[in-house]
Amino acid sequence: MYTACMRELNEELGILANEENAELAALFKRESSYNAVWIVKSNAIISELTLQEEEVSDARWATIDEIKDMVISGEFHSYQYLNWLFEHIEQILN
């Protein structure tokens, strides 16, 4: 699972992650698959990211409140675990 996450992050955004800056936050079971949610600490510069066009339409830094607003406006997908993830991130930061 770790290897797949690191590969996809590199392929889709050009971000290199490793065991020191990546944390598996949650693993959710879907009907026929699993969804792994990772937190990766990075100082990536948005303009230097390499976006894989087939997978990523845009990238930018956003606060939790900005992401919530994007969910409401339909600009960001409303994943079922977002509120849990936001709480988890706030716990890590405090």
Side-chain angles (χ1 to χ4, degrees):
M1 187 177 337
Y2 169 79
T3 304
C5 170
M6 301 307 106
R7 181 187 64 245
E8 292 299 313
L9 186 60
N10 188 30
E11 286 177 3
E12 294 179 14
L13 296 172
I15 293 176
L16 297 176
N18 56 50
E19 293 181 20
E20 293 159 7
N21 68 347
E23 167 197 342
L24 178 62
L27 182 62
F28 298 99
K29 182 168 177 15
R30 297 180 185 170
E31 283 186 31
S32 60
S33 65
Y34 288 90
N35 184 27
V37 179
W38 289 83
I39 295 175
V40 178
K41 297 176 184 177
S42 173
N43 291 325
I45 299 170
I46 298 296
S47 62
E48 294 178 3
L49 295 180
T50 305
L51 306 184
Q52 184 181 25
E53 290 182 25
E54 302 84 13
E55 299 286 338
V56 181
S57 61
D58 195 11
R60 71 179 193 199
W61 293 117
T63 65
I64 289 173
D65 288 336
E66 289 170 332
I67 295 171
K68 288 178 180 178
D69 288 343
M70 287 188 285
V71 168
I72 292 168
S73 72
E75 185 180 355
F76 195 93
H77 183 73
S78 181
Y79 295 98
Q80 67 182 18
Y81 54 81
L82 272 182
N83 287 330
W84 175 88
L85 182 60
F86 295 149
E87 290 175 14
H88 183 71
I89 292 169
E90 287 175 347
Q91 288 176 356
I92 291 171
L93 295 176
N94 293 328

Coordinates of all heavy atoms in Angstrom, one line a residue:
M1 N 0.8 -1.2 0.0 CA 0.0 0.0 0.0 C 0.9 1.3 0.0 O 0.6 2.2 -0.7 CB -0.9 0.0 1.2 CG -1.9 1.1 1.2 SD -3.1 1.1 2.6 CE -3.2 -0.6 3.1
Y2 N 1.9 1.3 0.8 CA 2.8 2.4 0.9 C 3.4 2.7 -0.5 O 3.5 3.8 -1.0 CB 3.9 2.2 2.0 CG 5.0 3.2 1.9 CD1 4.8 4.5 2.4 CD2 6.2 2.9 1.3 CE1 5.8 5.4 2.4 CE2 7.2 3.8 1.3 CZ 7.0 5.1 1.8 OH 8.0 6.0 1.7
T3 N 3.9 1.6 -1.1 CA 4.6 1.8 -2.4 C 3.6 2.3 -3.5 O 4.0 3.2 -4.2 CB 5.1 0.4 -2.9 OG1 6.0 -0.1 -1.9 CG2 5.9 0.5 -4.2
A4 N 2.4 1.9 -3.4 CA 1.4 2.4 -4.4 C 1.1 3.9 -4.2 O 1.0 4.6 -5.1 CB 0.1 1.6 -4.3
C5 N 1.0 4.3 -2.9 CA 0.8 5.7 -2.6 C 1.9 6.6 -3.1 O 1.7 7.6 -3.8 CB 0.6 5.9 -1.1 SG 0.6 7.6 -0.6
M6 N 3.1 6.1 -2.8 CA 4.3 6.9 -3.2 C 4.4 7.0 -4.7 O 4.7 8.1 -5.3 CB 5.5 6.4 -2.6 CG 5.5 6.3 -1.1 SD 5.1 7.9 -0.2 CE 3.5 7.6 0.3
R7 N 4.1 5.9 -5.4 CA 4.2 5.9 -6.9 C 3.1 6.8 -7.5 O 3.4 7.6 -8.3 CB 4.0 4.5 -7.4 CG 4.0 4.3 -8.9 CD 3.7 3.0 -9.4 NE 2.3 2.6 -9.1 CZ 1.9 1.7 -8.3 NH1 2.8 0.9 -7.7 NH2 0.6 1.4 -8.0
E8 N 1.9 6.7 -7.0 CA 0.8 7.6 -7.5 C 1.1 9.0 -7.3 O 0.8 9.9 -8.1 CB -0.5 7.1 -6.9 CG -1.0 5.8 -7.4 CD -1.2 5.7 -8.9 OE1 -1.8 6.6 -9.5 OE2 -0.7 4.7 -9.5
L9 N 1.5 9.4 -6.1 CA 1.8 10.8 -5.8 C 2.9 11.3 -6.7 O 2.8 12.4 -7.2 CB 2.3 10.9 -4.3 CG 2.5 12.3 -3.8 CD1 1.2 13.1 -3.8 CD2 3.0 12.2 -2.3
N10 N 3.9 10.5 -7.0 CA 5.0 11.0 -7.9 C 4.4 11.0 -9.3 O 4.7 12.0 -10.0 CB 6.2 10.0 -7.8 CG 7.3 10.5 -8.6 OD1 7.5 11.7 -8.7 ND2 8.1 9.6 -9.1
E11 N 3.7 10.0 -9.8 CA 3.1 10.0 -11.1 C 2.2 11.2 -11.4 O 2.2 11.8 -12.4 CB 2.4 8.7 -11.4 CG 3.3 7.5 -11.6 CD 2.6 6.2 -11.9 OE1 1.3 6.3 -11.9 OE2 3.2 5.2 -12.0
E12 N 1.3 11.4 -10.4 CA 0.2 12.4 -10.6 C 0.6 13.8 -10.3 O 0.0 14.8 -10.9 CB -1.0 12.0 -9.8 CG -1.6 10.7 -10.3 CD -2.8 10.2 -9.5 OE1 -3.4 11.0 -8.7 OE2 -3.2 9.1 -9.6
L13 N 1.6 14.1 -9.4 CA 1.9 15.4 -9.1 C 3.4 15.7 -9.2 O 3.8 16.9 -9.1 CB 1.5 15.7 -7.6 CG 0.0 15.7 -7.4 CD1 -0.3 15.8 -5.9 CD2 -0.7 16.8 -8.2
G14 N 4.2 14.7 -9.2 CA 5.7 14.9 -9.3 C 6.3 15.1 -7.9 O 7.4 15.6 -7.7
I15 N 5.5 14.7 -6.8 CA 6.0 14.9 -5.5 C 6.6 13.6 -5.0 O 6.1 12.5 -5.1 CB 4.9 15.3 -4.5 CG1 4.3 16.7 -4.9 CG2 5.3 15.2 -3.0 CD1 3.1 17.1 -4.0
L16 N 7.8 13.7 -4.4 CA 8.5 12.5 -3.9 C 8.2 12.5 -2.4 O 8.4 13.4 -1.7 CB 10.0 12.6 -4.1 CG 10.5 12.6 -5.6 CD1 12.0 12.8 -5.7 CD2 10.0 11.4 -6.3
A17 N 7.7 11.3 -2.0 CA 7.4 11.1 -0.6 C 8.2 9.9 -0.1 O 8.6 9.1 -0.9 CB 5.9 10.9 -0.4
N18 N 8.4 9.8 1.2 CA 9.1 8.7 1.8 C 8.4 8.4 3.2 O 7.5 9.0 3.6 CB 10.6 9.0 1.9 CG 10.8 10.2 2.7 OD1 10.3 10.4 3.8 ND2 11.6 11.1 2.1
E19 N 9.0 7.4 3.8 CA 8.4 6.9 5.1 C 8.5 8.0 6.2 O 7.8 7.9 7.1 CB 9.1 5.6 5.5 CG 8.8 4.5 4.6 CD 9.4 3.2 5.1 OE1 9.8 3.1 6.2 OE2 9.5 2.3 4.2
E20 N 9.4 9.0 6.0 CA 9.6 10.0 7.0 C 8.5 11.1 6.9 O 8.2 11.8 7.9 CB 11.0 10.5 7.0 CG 12.0 9.5 7.4 CD 13.4 9.8 6.8 OE1 13.6 10.9 6.3 OE2 14.3 9.0 7.0
N21 N 8.0 11.4 5.7 CA 7.1 12.5 5.5 C 5.7 12.0 5.2 O 4.8 12.8 4.9 CB 7.6 13.5 4.5 CG 7.6 13.0 3.1 OD1 7.5 11.8 2.8 ND2 7.8 13.9 2.2
A22 N 5.4 10.7 5.2 CA 4.1 10.2 4.8 C 3.5 9.4 5.9 O 4.2 8.6 6.6 CB 4.2 9.4 3.5
E23 N 2.2 9.6 6.1 CA 1.5 8.8 7.2 C 0.2 8.3 6.7 O -0.6 9.1 6.1 CB 1.2 9.8 8.4 CG 0.3 9.3 9.4 CD -0.3 10.4 10.3 OE1 0.3 11.4 10.4 OE2 -1.3 10.1 10.9
L24 N -0.1 7.0 6.9 CA -1.4 6.5 6.5 C -2.4 7.0 7.6 O -2.3 6.6 8.7 CB -1.4 5.0 6.5 CG -2.7 4.3 6.2 CD1 -3.2 4.7 4.8 CD2 -2.6 2.8 6.3
A25 N -3.3 7.9 7.1 CA -4.3 8.4 8.1 C -5.5 7.5 8.3 O -6.0 7.4 9.4 CB -4.7 9.8 7.5
A26 N -5.9 6.9 7.2 CA -7.1 6.0 7.3 C -7.2 5.0 6.2 O -6.6 5.3 5.1 CB -8.4 6.8 7.4
L27 N -7.9 4.0 6.4 CA -8.1 3.0 5.3 C -9.6 2.7 5.4 O -10.1 2.2 6.4 CB -7.3 1.7 5.6 CG -7.4 0.6 4.5 CD1 -7.0 1.1 3.2 CD2 -6.6 -0.6 4.9
F28 N -10.4 3.0 4.3 CA -11.8 2.8 4.3 C -12.1 1.7 3.3 O -11.6 1.6 2.2 CB -12.5 4.1 3.8 CG -12.3 5.2 4.7 CD1 -11.4 6.2 4.5 CD2 -13.1 5.3 5.9 CE1 -11.2 7.3 5.3 CE2 -12.9 6.4 6.7 CZ -12.0 7.4 6.4
K29 N -13.0 0.8 3.7 CA -13.5 -0.3 2.8 C -14.7 0.2 2.0 O -15.6 0.7 2.6 CB -13.9 -1.5 3.6 CG -14.3 -2.7 2.7 CD -14.4 -4.0 3.5 CE -14.8 -5.2 2.7 NZ -14.8 -5.1 1.2
R30 N -14.6 0.1 0.7 CA -15.7 0.4 -0.2 C -16.4 -1.0 -0.5 O -16.0 -2.0 0.0 CB -15.2 1.0 -1.5 CG -14.5 2.3 -1.3 CD -14.0 2.9 -2.6 NE -13.3 4.1 -2.5 CZ -12.6 4.6 -3.4 NH1 -12.6 4.1 -4.6 NH2 -12.0 5.8 -3.2
E31 N -17.4 -0.9 -1.4 CA -18.1 -2.2 -1.7 C -17.1 -3.2 -2.3 O -17.2 -4.4 -1.9 CB -19.2 -1.9 -2.7 CG -20.4 -1.3 -2.0 CD -21.6 -1.2 -3.0 OE1 -21.7 -2.0 -3.9 OE2 -22.4 -0.2 -2.8
S32 N -16.3 -2.8 -3.2 CA -15.4 -3.7 -3.9 C -13.9 -3.3 -3.9 O -13.1 -3.9 -4.6 CB -15.9 -3.9 -5.4 OG -15.8 -2.7 -6.0
S33 N -13.6 -2.4 -3.0 CA -12.2 -1.9 -3.0 C -11.9 -1.2 -1.6 O -12.8 -1.1 -0.8 CB -11.9 -1.0 -4.1 OG -12.6 0.2 -4.0
Y34 N -10.7 -0.8 -1.5 CA -10.3 0.0 -0.3 C -9.9 1.4 -0.8 O -9.4 1.6 -1.9 CB -9.1 -0.7 0.4 CG -9.6 -1.9 1.1 CD1 -9.5 -3.2 0.5 CD2 -10.0 -1.9 2.4 CE1 -9.9 -4.3 1.2 CE2 -10.4 -3.0 3.1 CZ -10.4 -4.2 2.5 OH -10.8 -5.4 3.1
N35 N -10.0 2.3 0.1 CA -9.6 3.7 -0.1 C -8.6 4.1 1.0 O -9.0 4.2 2.2 CB -10.8 4.6 -0.1 CG -10.4 6.0 -0.5 OD1 -9.5 6.3 -1.2 ND2 -11.2 7.0 0.0
A36 N -7.3 4.3 0.6 CA -6.3 4.7 1.6 C -6.2 6.2 1.5 O -6.0 6.8 0.5 CB -5.0 4.0 1.3
V37 N -6.2 6.8 2.7 CA -6.0 8.3 2.8 C -4.6 8.5 3.5 O -4.4 8.1 4.6 CB -7.1 8.9 3.6 CG1 -6.9 10.4 3.7 CG2 -8.5 8.6 3.0
W38 N -3.8 9.2 2.8 CA -2.4 9.5 3.3 C -2.3 11.0 3.5 O -2.8 11.8 2.8 CB -1.4 9.1 2.2 CG -1.3 7.6 2.0 CD1 -2.0 6.8 1.3 CD2 -0.3 6.8 2.7 NE1 -1.6 5.5 1.4 CE2 -0.5 5.5 2.2 CE3 0.8 7.0 3.5 CZ2 0.2 4.4 2.6 CZ3 1.5 5.9 3.9 CH2 1.3 4.7 3.5
I39 N -1.5 11.3 4.6 CA -1.1 12.7 4.8 C 0.4 12.7 4.5 O 1.2 12.0 5.1 CB -1.3 13.1 6.3 CG1 -2.9 13.1 6.5 CG2 -0.7 14.5 6.5 CD1 -3.2 13.4 8.0
V40 N 0.8 13.6 3.6 CA 2.2 13.8 3.2 C 2.6 15.2 3.5 O 2.0 16.2 3.0 CB 2.4 13.4 1.7 CG1 3.9 13.7 1.3 CG2 2.0 12.0 1.4
K41 N 3.6 15.4 4.3 CA 4.1 16.7 4.6 C 5.1 17.1 3.5 O 6.1 16.3 3.3 CB 4.8 16.8 6.0 CG 3.8 16.5 7.1 CD 4.5 16.4 8.4 CE 3.5 16.0 9.5 NZ 4.1 15.9 10.8
S42 N 4.9 18.2 2.9 CA 5.8 18.6 1.8 C 5.9 20.1 1.7 O 4.9 20.9 2.0 CB 5.2 18.1 0.5 OG 5.9 18.6 -0.7
N43 N 7.0 20.6 1.2 CA 7.2 22.0 0.9 C 7.2 22.2 -0.6 O 7.8 23.1 -1.1 CB 8.5 22.5 1.5 CG 8.5 22.6 3.0 OD1 7.5 22.9 3.6 ND2 9.6 22.3 3.6
A44 N 6.4 21.4 -1.3 CA 6.3 21.5 -2.8 C 5.9 22.9 -3.2 O 5.1 23.5 -2.6 CB 5.4 20.4 -3.3
I45 N 6.4 23.3 -4.3 CA 6.1 24.6 -4.9 C 5.1 24.3 -6.0 O 5.4 23.5 -7.0 CB 7.3 25.3 -5.4 CG1 8.3 25.6 -4.3 CG2 7.0 26.6 -6.2 CD1 9.6 26.1 -4.7
I46 N 3.9 24.9 -5.9 CA 2.8 24.5 -6.8 C 3.2 24.7 -8.3 O 3.0 23.8 -9.1 CB 1.6 25.4 -6.5 CG1 1.0 25.1 -5.1 CG2 0.5 25.2 -7.6 CD1 0.5 23.7 -4.9
S47 N 3.9 25.8 -8.6 CA 4.3 26.0 -10.0 C 5.3 25.0 -10.5 O 5.5 24.8 -11.7 CB 4.9 27.4 -10.2 OG 6.1 27.5 -9.4
E48 N 6.0 24.2 -9.6 CA 6.9 23.2 -10.0 C 6.4 21.8 -10.1 O 7.1 20.9 -10.5 CB 8.1 23.3 -9.1 CG 8.9 24.6 -9.2 CD 10.1 24.6 -8.3 OE1 10.4 23.6 -7.5 OE2 10.7 25.7 -8.2
L49 N 5.1 21.6 -9.7 CA 4.5 20.3 -9.8 C 4.3 19.9 -11.3 O 4.1 20.7 -12.1 CB 3.1 20.3 -9.1 CG 3.1 20.6 -7.6 CD1 1.6 20.6 -7.1 CD2 3.9 19.6 -6.9
T50 N 4.3 18.6 -11.5 CA 4.1 18.0 -12.8 C 2.8 17.3 -12.7 O 2.7 16.2 -12.2 CB 5.2 17.0 -13.2 OG1 6.5 17.7 -13.1 CG2 5.0 16.5 -14.6
L51 N 1.7 17.9 -13.2 CA 0.4 17.3 -13.1 C 0.1 16.3 -14.2 O 0.3 16.7 -15.4 CB -0.7 18.4 -13.2 CG -0.6 19.6 -12.2 CD1 -1.8 20.5 -12.3 CD2 -0.4 19.1 -10.8
Q52 N -0.3 15.2 -13.9 CA -0.7 14.1 -14.8 C -2.1 14.5 -15.3 O -3.1 14.4 -14.6 CB -0.6 12.8 -14.2 CG -0.9 11.6 -15.2 CD -0.9 10.3 -14.5 OE1 -1.1 10.2 -13.3 NE2 -0.6 9.2 -15.3
E53 N -2.2 15.0 -16.6 CA -3.5 15.5 -17.1 C -4.6 14.6 -17.0 O -5.8 15.0 -16.8 CB -3.3 15.9 -18.5 CG -2.4 17.1 -18.7 CD -2.3 17.6 -20.1 OE1 -3.2 17.3 -20.9 OE2 -1.2 18.2 -20.5
E54 N -4.4 13.3 -17.1 CA -5.5 12.3 -17.1 C -6.1 12.1 -15.6 O -7.2 11.6 -15.5 CB -5.0 10.9 -17.5 CG -4.5 10.9 -19.0 CD -3.0 11.3 -19.0 OE1 -2.3 11.3 -18.0 OE2 -2.6 11.6 -20.2
E55 N -5.3 12.5 -14.6 CA -5.7 12.3 -13.2 C -5.9 13.5 -12.4 O -6.7 13.5 -11.5 CB -4.6 11.4 -12.5 CG -4.4 10.1 -13.1 CD -5.5 9.1 -12.8 OE1 -6.2 9.3 -11.9 OE2 -5.6 8.1 -13.6
V56 N -5.2 14.6 -12.8 CA -5.2 15.8 -12.0 C -5.6 17.0 -12.9 O -4.9 17.3 -13.9 CB -3.9 16.1 -11.3 CG1 -3.9 17.3 -10.4 CG2 -3.5 14.9 -10.5
S57 N -6.6 17.8 -12.5 CA -7.0 18.9 -13.3 C -6.4 20.2 -12.8 O -6.1 21.1 -13.6 CB -8.5 19.1 -13.3 OG -9.0 19.3 -11.9
D58 N -6.0 20.3 -11.5 CA -5.5 21.5 -10.9 C -4.9 21.2 -9.6 O -5.2 20.2 -9.0 CB -6.5 22.6 -10.8 CG -6.0 24.0 -10.6 OD1 -4.7 24.2 -10.7 OD2 -6.7 24.9 -10.2
A59 N -4.0 22.1 -9.1 CA -3.4 21.9 -7.8 C -3.2 23.3 -7.2 O -2.8 24.2 -7.9 CB -2.0 21.2 -7.9
R60 N -3.4 23.4 -5.9 CA -3.2 24.6 -5.1 C -3.2 24.3 -3.7 O -3.8 23.3 -3.2 CB -4.2 25.7 -5.5 CG -5.6 25.4 -5.0 CD -6.5 26.6 -5.3 NE -7.7 26.5 -4.6 CZ -8.8 27.1 -5.0 NH1 -8.9 27.8 -6.1 NH2 -9.9 27.0 -4.2
W61 N -2.6 25.2 -2.9 CA -2.6 25.1 -1.4 C -4.0 25.7 -1.0 O -4.4 26.7 -1.5 CB -1.5 25.8 -0.8 CG -0.2 25.2 -1.0 CD1 0.9 25.8 -1.7 CD2 0.3 23.9 -0.7 NE1 1.9 24.9 -1.8 CE2 1.6 23.8 -1.2 CE3 -0.3 22.8 0.0 CZ2 2.3 22.6 -1.0 CZ3 0.4 21.7 0.2 CH2 1.7 21.6 -0.3
A62 N -4.6 25.1 0.0 CA -5.9 25.6 0.5 C -6.0 25.2 2.0 O -5.5 24.2 2.4 CB -7.1 24.9 -0.3
T63 N -6.7 26.1 2.7 CA -6.9 25.8 4.1 C -8.1 24.9 4.2 O -8.8 24.7 3.2 CB -7.3 27.1 4.9 OG1 -8.5 27.7 4.3 CG2 -6.2 28.2 4.7
I64 N -8.4 24.4 5.4 CA -9.5 23.5 5.6 C -10.8 24.3 5.2 O -11.7 23.7 4.6 CB -9.6 23.0 7.0 CG1 -8.4 22.0 7.2 CG2 -10.9 22.4 7.4 CD1 -8.2 21.5 8.6
D65 N -10.9 25.5 5.7 CA -12.1 26.3 5.4 C -12.3 26.6 3.9 O -13.4 26.5 3.4 CB -12.1 27.7 6.1 CG -12.3 27.5 7.6 OD1 -13.0 26.5 8.0 OD2 -11.9 28.4 8.4
E66 N -11.2 26.8 3.2 CA -11.3 26.9 1.7 C -11.7 25.7 1.0 O -12.5 25.7 0.1 CB -9.9 27.4 1.2 CG -9.5 28.8 1.5 CD -8.1 29.2 1.2 OE1 -7.2 28.3 1.2 OE2 -7.9 30.4 1.0
I67 N -11.3 24.5 1.5 CA -11.7 23.2 0.9 C -13.2 23.0 1.2 O -13.9 22.6 0.3 CB -10.8 22.1 1.5 CG1 -9.4 22.2 1.0 CG2 -11.4 20.7 1.0 CD1 -8.4 21.3 1.7
K68 N -13.6 23.3 2.4 CA -15.1 23.2 2.7 C -15.9 24.1 1.8 O -16.9 23.6 1.3 CB -15.3 23.6 4.2 CG -14.8 22.6 5.2 CD -15.1 23.0 6.6 CE -14.6 22.0 7.6 NZ -14.8 22.4 9.0
D69 N -15.4 25.3 1.5 CA -16.1 26.2 0.6 C -16.1 25.6 -0.8 O -17.1 25.7 -1.6 CB -15.5 27.6 0.6 CG -15.8 28.4 1.8 OD1 -16.7 28.0 2.6 OD2 -15.1 29.4 2.1
M70 N -15.0 25.0 -1.2 CA -14.9 24.4 -2.6 C -15.9 23.2 -2.7 O -16.5 22.9 -3.7 CB -13.5 24.0 -2.9 CG -12.6 25.1 -3.2 SD -11.0 24.6 -3.8 CE -10.2 24.1 -2.3
V71 N -16.1 22.4 -1.6 CA -17.0 21.3 -1.6 C -18.4 21.9 -1.8 O -19.2 21.3 -2.6 CB -16.9 20.5 -0.3 CG1 -18.1 19.5 -0.2 CG2 -15.6 19.8 -0.2
I72 N -18.8 22.9 -1.1 CA -20.1 23.5 -1.2 C -20.4 24.0 -2.6 O -21.4 23.8 -3.2 CB -20.3 24.6 -0.2 CG1 -20.3 24.1 1.2 CG2 -21.5 25.5 -0.5 CD1 -20.2 25.1 2.4
S73 N -19.3 24.6 -3.2 CA -19.5 25.2 -4.6 C -19.4 24.1 -5.7 O -19.7 24.4 -6.8 CB -18.5 26.2 -4.8 OG -17.2 25.7 -5.0
G74 N -19.0 22.9 -5.3 CA -18.9 21.8 -6.3 C -17.6 21.8 -7.0 O -17.3 21.0 -7.9
E75 N -16.6 22.6 -6.5 CA -15.3 22.7 -7.1 C -14.4 21.5 -6.6 O -13.4 21.2 -7.3 CB -14.7 24.0 -6.8 CG -13.3 24.3 -7.4 CD -12.8 25.6 -7.0 OE1 -13.4 26.4 -6.3 OE2 -11.6 25.9 -7.4
F76 N -14.7 20.9 -5.5 CA -14.0 19.9 -4.8 C -14.9 18.7 -4.5 O -16.0 19.0 -4.0 CB -13.3 20.4 -3.6 CG -12.2 19.5 -3.0 CD1 -10.9 19.8 -3.4 CD2 -12.5 18.5 -2.1 CE1 -9.9 19.0 -2.8 CE2 -11.5 17.7 -1.6 CZ -10.2 17.9 -2.0
H77 N -14.5 17.5 -4.8 CA -15.4 16.4 -4.5 C -15.7 16.2 -3.0 O -14.8 16.3 -2.2 CB -14.8 15.1 -5.1 CG -15.6 13.9 -4.9 ND1 -16.7 13.7 -5.7 CD2 -15.5 12.8 -4.0 CE1 -17.3 12.5 -5.3 NE2 -16.6 12.0 -4.3
S78 N -16.9 15.9 -2.7 CA -17.3 15.7 -1.3 C -17.0 14.3 -0.8 O -18.0 13.5 -0.8 CB -18.8 16.1 -1.1 OG -19.1 15.9 0.3
Y79 N -15.8 14.0 -0.5 CA -15.5 12.6 0.0 C -16.1 12.4 1.3 O -16.2 13.3 2.2 CB -14.0 12.5 0.1 CG -13.2 12.5 -1.2 CD1 -12.6 13.7 -1.6 CD2 -13.2 11.4 -2.0 CE1 -12.0 13.8 -2.9 CE2 -12.5 11.5 -3.3 CZ -11.9 12.7 -3.7 OH -11.3 12.7 -4.9
Q80 N -16.6 11.2 1.5 CA -17.4 10.9 2.8 C -16.5 11.1 4.0 O -17.1 11.2 5.1 CB -17.9 9.4 2.7 CG -16.8 8.4 2.7 CD -17.3 7.0 2.6 OE1 -18.4 6.8 2.2 NE2 -16.5 6.0 3.0
Y81 N -15.2 11.0 3.9 CA -14.3 11.1 5.1 C -13.8 12.5 5.3 O -12.9 12.6 6.2 CB -13.2 10.1 4.9 CG -12.4 10.2 3.7 CD1 -11.4 11.2 3.5 CD2 -12.7 9.5 2.5 CE1 -10.7 11.4 2.4 CE2 -12.0 9.6 1.4 CZ -11.0 10.6 1.3 OH -10.3 10.8 0.1
L82 N -14.2 13.5 4.6 CA -13.5 14.8 4.7 C -13.6 15.4 6.1 O -12.5 15.9 6.6 CB -14.1 15.8 3.7 CG -13.5 15.8 2.3 CD1 -14.1 16.9 1.5 CD2 -12.0 16.0 2.4
N83 N -14.7 15.4 6.7 CA -14.8 16.0 8.1 C -13.9 15.3 9.1 O -13.2 15.9 9.9 CB -16.3 16.0 8.6 CG -17.1 17.0 7.8 OD1 -16.5 18.1 7.4 ND2 -18.4 16.8 7.7
W84 N -13.9 13.9 9.0 CA -13.0 13.1 9.8 C -11.5 13.5 9.6 O -10.7 13.8 10.5 CB -13.2 11.6 9.6 CG -12.2 10.9 10.4 CD1 -12.3 10.4 11.7 CD2 -10.8 10.5 10.0 NE1 -11.1 9.8 12.1 CE2 -10.2 9.8 11.0 CE3 -10.1 10.7 8.8 CZ2 -8.9 9.3 11.0 CZ3 -8.8 10.2 8.7 CH2 -8.3 9.5 9.8
L85 N -11.2 13.7 8.3 CA -9.8 14.0 7.9 C -9.4 15.4 8.4 O -8.3 15.6 8.9 CB -9.6 13.9 6.4 CG -8.2 14.2 5.9 CD1 -7.2 13.3 6.4 CD2 -8.2 14.2 4.3
F86 N -10.3 16.4 8.3 CA -10.1 17.7 8.8 C -9.8 17.7 10.3 O -8.9 18.3 10.8 CB -11.2 18.7 8.5 CG -11.4 18.9 7.0 CD1 -12.7 19.2 6.5 CD2 -10.4 18.9 6.1 CE1 -12.9 19.4 5.2 CE2 -10.6 19.1 4.8 CZ -11.8 19.4 4.3
E87 N -10.6 16.9 11.1 CA -10.4 16.8 12.5 C -9.0 16.2 12.8 O -8.3 16.6 13.7 CB -11.5 16.0 13.1 CG -12.8 16.7 13.1 CD -14.0 15.9 13.7 OE1 -13.7 14.8 14.3 OE2 -15.2 16.3 13.5
H88 N -8.7 15.2 12.0 CA -7.4 14.5 12.2 C -6.2 15.4 12.0 O -5.3 15.5 12.7 CB -7.3 13.3 11.3 CG -6.1 12.4 11.5 ND1 -5.9 11.7 12.6 CD2 -5.0 12.3 10.7 CE1 -4.7 11.1 12.4 NE2 -4.2 11.4 11.3
I89 N -6.3 16.2 10.9 CA -5.3 17.2 10.6 C -5.2 18.2 11.7 O -4.0 18.6 12.1 CB -5.5 17.8 9.2 CG1 -5.4 16.8 8.1 CG2 -4.6 19.1 9.0 CD1 -5.8 17.3 6.8
E90 N -6.3 18.7 12.2 CA -6.2 19.7 13.3 C -5.6 19.1 14.5 O -4.9 19.8 15.2 CB -7.6 20.2 13.5 CG -8.1 21.2 12.4 CD -9.6 21.6 12.6 OE1 -10.3 21.1 13.4 OE2 -9.9 22.6 11.9
Q91 N -5.8 17.9 14.8 CA -5.2 17.2 16.0 C -3.7 17.1 15.8 O -2.9 17.3 16.7 CB -5.8 15.8 16.2 CG -7.2 15.8 16.8 CD -7.8 14.4 16.9 OE1 -7.1 13.4 16.5 NE2 -9.0 14.3 17.4
I92 N -3.3 16.8 14.6 CA -1.8 16.7 14.3 C -1.2 18.1 14.5 O -0.1 18.2 15.0 CB -1.6 16.2 12.9 CG1 -2.0 14.8 12.7 CG2 -0.1 16.4 12.5 CD1 -2.0 14.2 11.3
L93 N -1.8 19.1 14.0 CA -1.3 20.5 14.1 C -1.2 21.1 15.5 O -0.5 22.0 15.8 CB -2.0 21.4 13.1 CG -1.9 21.1 11.7 CD1 -2.8 22.0 10.8 CD2 -0.5 21.1 11.2
N94 N -2.1 20.6 16.4 CA -2.2 21.2 17.7 C -1.4 20.4 18.7 O -0.9 19.4 18.7 CB -3.6 21.2 18.2 CG -4.4 22.2 17.4 OD1 -3.8 23.2 16.9 ND2 -5.7 22.0 17.2

